[in-house]
């Protein structure tokens, strides 16, 4: 980017170059009088400049934005006896398990483990509340930041959200409460809040537990609209959208004033990862496996996706990765209390069987970042994620293919977004 770029141009470069995931943190950094994260005309949640920015403010945004900076688990949290897998990162325990509460297991995604841990943290009074995401009250395909104080709140927010979610837009107001809490977010949300901890000491003081999912990305707004069209649903009539849950994966349910319709999970996502319509940022994500969290939770479908024959009566089983001593202790305590049911311990190769697309991305991402640099684009700054070392394990031709492919995507406009403009009524 030109050294003469204005603060506003620098901020918008993150969005225009396909690196924004709509987490909302830039609004928290700058203030709502300068930046407002809202639904824009292309359907995403993105920042719109509403006041005067200066370079110092944008420097802080660049230092905290997960589009420009992603790091692994802070070194102080990696114990000397922790194990390290080049793909899956630092870990202390890997296992299969599910929510001990049958209702949380049924309503949650896969085995309901994140909901179970959230409810346990509240009921054991380890934290005052959970900061996470629930279904948006304004757009059924979106998620919105919420605080849960009791099991009933957690249950209401259960289930995956595959649309934009500004999880951190109100983080300063949350920190102002001066109460201990747990944070559950996508890996990029975790990265954003870890980054922000370098600017606001309250983060590390108040966030007692960092929990995440192993993330396949979220669907583009255009893909959600296409799903409605394919299912002969008028998007303007949709009042509710549940992506999965109530089984494993459970049905995708769409509510309208005329009634409800249920579809297979694969009707939304497609038969395999080649069908996934993802934001560009998800395709070059250096940490979709949640390396900066205390615990990361994953699906356990061999090959990475359910089949159409998968029973809706399947109660679901999660894989859990405890990365820190805090995460390891939480799993043990939740299991002892019956909040978590443990099946058996696993190893990184088991996770690779369940999540082959994550393995492929982790190996490819360094070359993809080089392709961004070749095209004169911003590329996320990374640390502690071993992506260059993993690329070194591949044949030179594989890295060249990924690198050149990314450069060509940029050239073809496939990695670009228009300058954000607020949508009507946003």
């Amino acid at each position: 980017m030109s050294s003469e770029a204005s603060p506003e141009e620098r901020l918008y470069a993150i969005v225009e170059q396909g690196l924004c995931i709509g987490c909302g943190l830039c609004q928290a950094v700058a203030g709502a009088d300068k930046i407002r994260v809202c639904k824009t005309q292309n359907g995403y949640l993105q920042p719109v400049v509403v006041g005067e920015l200066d370079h110092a403010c944008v420097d802080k945004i660049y230092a905290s934005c997960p589009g420009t900076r992603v790091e692994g688990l802070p070194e102080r949290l990696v114990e000397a006896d922790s194990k390290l897998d080049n793909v899956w990162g630092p870990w202390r325990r890997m296992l299969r398990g599910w929510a001990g509460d049958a209702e949380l297991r049924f309503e949650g995604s896969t085995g309901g483990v994140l909901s179970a841990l959230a409810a346990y943290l509240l009921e054991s009074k380890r934290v005052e509340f959970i900061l996470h995401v629930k279904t948006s009250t304004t757009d059924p395909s979106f998620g919105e930041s919420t605080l849960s104080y009791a099991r009933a709140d957690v249950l209401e927010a259960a289930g995956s959200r595959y649309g934009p979610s500004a999880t951190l837009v109100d983080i300063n107001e949350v920190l102002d409460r001066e109460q201990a809490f747990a944070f559950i977010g996508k890996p990029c949300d975790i990265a954003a809040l870890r980054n922000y901890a370098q600017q606001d000491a309250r983060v590390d003081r108040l966030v007692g537990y960092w929990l995440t999912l192993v993330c396949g990305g979220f669907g583009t707004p255009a893909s959600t609209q296409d799903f409605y069209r394919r299912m002969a649903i008028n998007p303007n009539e949709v009042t509710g959208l549940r992506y999965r849950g109530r089984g494993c994966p459970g049905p995708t349910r769409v509510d309208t004033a005329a009634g409800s319709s249920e579809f297979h999970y694969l009707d939304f996502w497609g038969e395999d990862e080649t069908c996934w319509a993802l934001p560009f940022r998800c395709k070059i994500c250096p940490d979709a496996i949640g390396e900066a969290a205390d615990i990361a939770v994953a699906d356990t479908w061999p090959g990475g996706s359910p089949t159409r024959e998968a029973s809706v009566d399947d109660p679901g089983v999660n894989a859990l990765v405890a990365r820190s001593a805090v995460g390891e202790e939480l799993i043990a305590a939740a299991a002892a209390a019956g909040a978590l049911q443990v099946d058996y311990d696993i190893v990184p190769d088991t996770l690779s069987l369940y999540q082959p697309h994550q393995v492929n991305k982790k190996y490819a991402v360094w070359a993809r970042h080089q392709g961004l640099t070749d095209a004169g684009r911003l590329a996320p700054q990374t640390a502690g994620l071993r992506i260059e070392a993993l690329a070194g394990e591949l044949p030179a031709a594989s890295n060249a293919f990924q690198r050149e492919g990314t450069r060509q995507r940029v050239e073809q406009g496939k990695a670009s977004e228009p300058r954000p403009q607020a949508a009507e009524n946003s």
Side-chain angles (χ1 to χ4, degrees), residues 262-278:
E262 292 189 347
F263 308 94
H264 197 279
Y265 177 80
L266 294 178
D267 290 329
F268 180 83
W269 278 114
E271 300 299 327
D272 57 55
E273 66 177 300
T274 63
C275 302
W276 297 353
L278 304 176

Side-chain angles (χ1 to χ4, degrees), residues 71-318:
E71 298 186 3
L73 193 68
E75 289 186 8
R76 70 180 188 281
L77 300 180
V78 181
E79 305 287 340
D81 60 344
S82 294
K83 303 175 184 67
L84 178 67
D85 182 80
N86 230 18
V87 171
W88 290 99
W91 63 282
R92 299 187 59 77
R93 188 181 182 189
M94 295 183 178
L95 64 149
R96 288 163 48 100
W98 54 85
D101 182 318
E103 187 177 23
L104 287 176
R105 185 182 188 184
F106 178 70
E107 292 289 336
S109 298
T110 314
V113 163
L114 287 173
S115 297
L117 293 175
Y120 171 73
L121 286 169
L122 293 170
E123 291 168 351
S124 62
K125 301 190 183 306
R126 290 181 174 223
V127 299
E128 295 295 327
F129 59 86
I130 311 294
L131 169 59
H132 59 149
V133 169
K134 69 175 182 180
T135 303
S136 170
T137 53
T138 59
D139 188 322
S141 67
F142 281 31
E144 69 180 23
S145 178
T146 191
L147 304 182
S148 287
Y149 292 89
R151 175 190 175 279
D153 301 329
V154 172
L155 185 62
E156 182 181 359
S160 292
R161 304 308 307 161
Y162 290 131
S165 302
T167 317
L168 296 170
V169 70
D170 296 321
I171 187 60
N172 288 328
E173 289 80 357
V174 173
L175 294 169
D176 286 344
R177 293 169 176 264
E178 286 291 336
Q179 295 178 313
F181 66 98
F183 178 55
I184 304 176
K186 303 186 300 299
C188 49
D189 298 326
I190 296 286
L193 192 55
R194 289 287 192 193
N195 290 344
Y196 194 49
Q198 304 303 310
Q199 300 179 28
D200 192 327
R202 296 178 299 172
V203 174
D204 285 336
R205 178 164 55 83
L206 297 176
V207 182
Y209 300 89
W210 304 66
L211 310 179
T212 194
L213 58 146
V214 173
C215 180
F218 69 88
T220 64
S223 69
T224 302
Q225 296 300 308
D226 181 62
F227 165 71
Y228 290 148
R229 285 191 292 270
R230 285 187 284 110
M231 299 300 117
I233 295 170
N234 184 342
N236 297 322
E237 296 178 356
V238 175
T239 58
L241 173 60
R242 185 181 179 92
Y243 293 93
R244 60 185 288 191
R246 299 175 182 168
C248 182
T252 297
R253 175 183 170 127
V254 181
D255 299 323
T256 67
S260 300
S261 301
E262 292 189 347
F263 308 94
H264 197 279
Y265 177 80
L266 294 178
D267 290 329
F268 180 83
W269 278 114
E271 300 299 327
D272 57 55
E273 66 177 300
T274 63
C275 302
W276 297 353
L278 304 176
F280 180 74
R281 168 61 177 78
C282 296
K283 297 177 182 179
I284 54 96
C285 182
D287 180 30
I289 63 173
E291 291 204 36
D294 293 313
I295 298 172
V297 177
D299 288 322
T300 55
W301 298 309
S305 182
T307 65
R308 288 195 175 271
E309 291 69 38
S311 171
V312 294
D313 297 323
D314 180 356
V317 175
N318 285 116

Side-chain angles (χ1 to χ4, degrees), residues 32-86:
D33 60 329
K34 296 180 180 178
I35 291 175
R36 186 165 69 94
V37 173
C38 60
K39 185 176 181 179
T40 55
Q41 290 182 352
N42 65 352
Y44 286 100
L45 290 173
Q46 295 173 333
V48 174
V49 176
V50 295
E52 186 174 347
L53 293 176
D54 57 35
H55 285 294
C57 178
V58 178
D59 287 344
K60 290 181 179 180
I61 291 171
Y62 268 67
S64 57
C65 173
T68 55
R69 178 182 171 193
V70 183
E71 298 186 3
L73 193 68
E75 289 186 8
R76 70 180 188 281
L77 300 180
V78 181
E79 305 287 340
D81 60 344
S82 294
K83 303 175 184 67
L84 178 67
D85 182 80
N86 230 18

Side-chain angles (χ1 to χ4, degrees), residues 355-370:
Q355 301 282 333
H357 48 288
Q358 298 292 1
V359 178
N360 294 338
K361 182 188 290 185
K362 196 79 171 188
Y363 273 101
V365 72
W366 183 83
R368 293 177 183 178
H369 289 186
Q370 298 306 300

